[in-house]
Amino acid sequence: MRVGDRLWYRGGEGGGRPATILREVVSLQGGQAQLRQFDVDGAGRPAGVARPRRQALESLELDNPGKVNGQIRYVEFPLSPGKSWSYRYQIKGRSGALTTYDITAKVEAEQLIDTPAGRFKVLRILHSGQWNVPVTENGSLRLSTGSLRSTVWFAPQLGNWVRFESEILNANGNPEGRIHQELVRLERR
């Protein structure tokens, strides 16, 4: 990752319409990349006001205003096939309840993948684990649980992911949320 790099990602959440965003690297300091994120219009141009973002270089975690504890560790350097690590984080939902995620990640393999932005040598990293959140149902407090599966395709030459997929499942194994992002354009400085 270098100052001036511009990365366009296309994707979305759930079954909604895919959208494109642009993340531009503004500075690299103190273990963080300072980014400007824009929505992108139909002609591929930045639209609207830039949203400042931060990304931790050691984990690739993007700032998340709802996260209150822990760190989402998409990567943990040095990376090599077979390496694994665990992490925990909590996110405050709209209701104010804290959802706790306990995740294990493993670098599964090196591979070549094609994206609209080009061909990349990547490390495929699988994240899987459980989530739980206290809920009140019929006047009783209980723990709602489920699982999470995410895959990150990390390109070492880029210092970032080129594809990301995540699915959150409820206790019955039914999807509650999906996220997909893929690098569709890249400008290196």
Side-chain angles (χ1 to χ4, degrees):
M1 193 177 321
R2 301 187 293 237
V3 172
D5 282 357
R6 297 173 62 148
L7 301 95
W8 281 260
Y9 288 97
R10 182 154 179 82
E13 296 184 20
R17 256 182 63 191
T20 303
I21 58 169
L22 163 62
R23 292 188 183 126
E24 181 176 21
V25 181
V26 177
S27 70
L28 299 169
Q29 58 188 347
Q32 298 223 338
Q34 303 297 319
L35 310 171
R36 278 193 301 239
Q37 180 172 307
F38 298 89
D39 291 329
V40 175
D41 67 18
R45 295 181 305 254
V49 177
R51 175 181 167 201
R53 300 287 311 261
R54 290 182 321 276
Q55 187 174 31
L57 298 175
E58 68 176 17
S59 66
L60 298 187
E61 178 185 47
L62 282 161
D63 55 346
N64 181 333
K67 187 176 67 62
V68 295
N69 188 21
Q71 186 177 46
I72 303 171
R73 301 195 62 78
Y74 295 111
V75 298
E76 186 170 277
F77 298 110
L79 290 172
S80 60
K83 179 177 181 169
S84 63
W85 64 95
S86 297
Y87 59 98
R88 170 183 266 202
Y89 63 97
Q90 293 179 310
I91 293 180
K92 185 180 279 192
R94 289 182 210 116
S95 70
L98 286 180
T99 302
T100 301
Y101 296 85
D102 288 300
I103 307 296
T104 298
K106 183 175 182 181
V107 180
E108 291 189 313
E110 286 184 322
Q111 66 184 99
L112 283 175
I113 65 166
D114 293 310
T115 74
R119 175 171 277 189
F120 295 92
K121 184 177 180 183
V122 299
L123 292 163
R124 187 180 69 239
I125 306 166
L126 178 65
H127 297 249
S128 60
Q130 304 299 312
W131 61 265
N132 66 69
V133 61
V135 296
T136 303
E137 192 173 276
N138 299 326
S140 298
L141 186 63
R142 70 173 185 82
L143 207 54
S144 179
T145 62
S147 61
L148 176 135
R149 292 188 307 238
S150 299
T151 305
V152 175
W153 287 265
F154 173 75
Q157 71 273 25
L158 182 58
N160 218 322
W161 65 67
V162 295
R163 185 178 293 149
F164 174 81
E165 295 176 358
S166 186
E167 183 173 53
I168 296 174
L169 305 169
N170 65 22
N172 297 323
N174 297 319
E176 287 205 350
R178 289 189 173 121
I179 299 172
H180 172 83
Q181 281 189 347
E182 184 171 52
L183 188 67
V184 295
R185 184 172 164 194
L186 170 65
E187 290 179 7
R188 301 292 320 251
R189 300 290 180 206

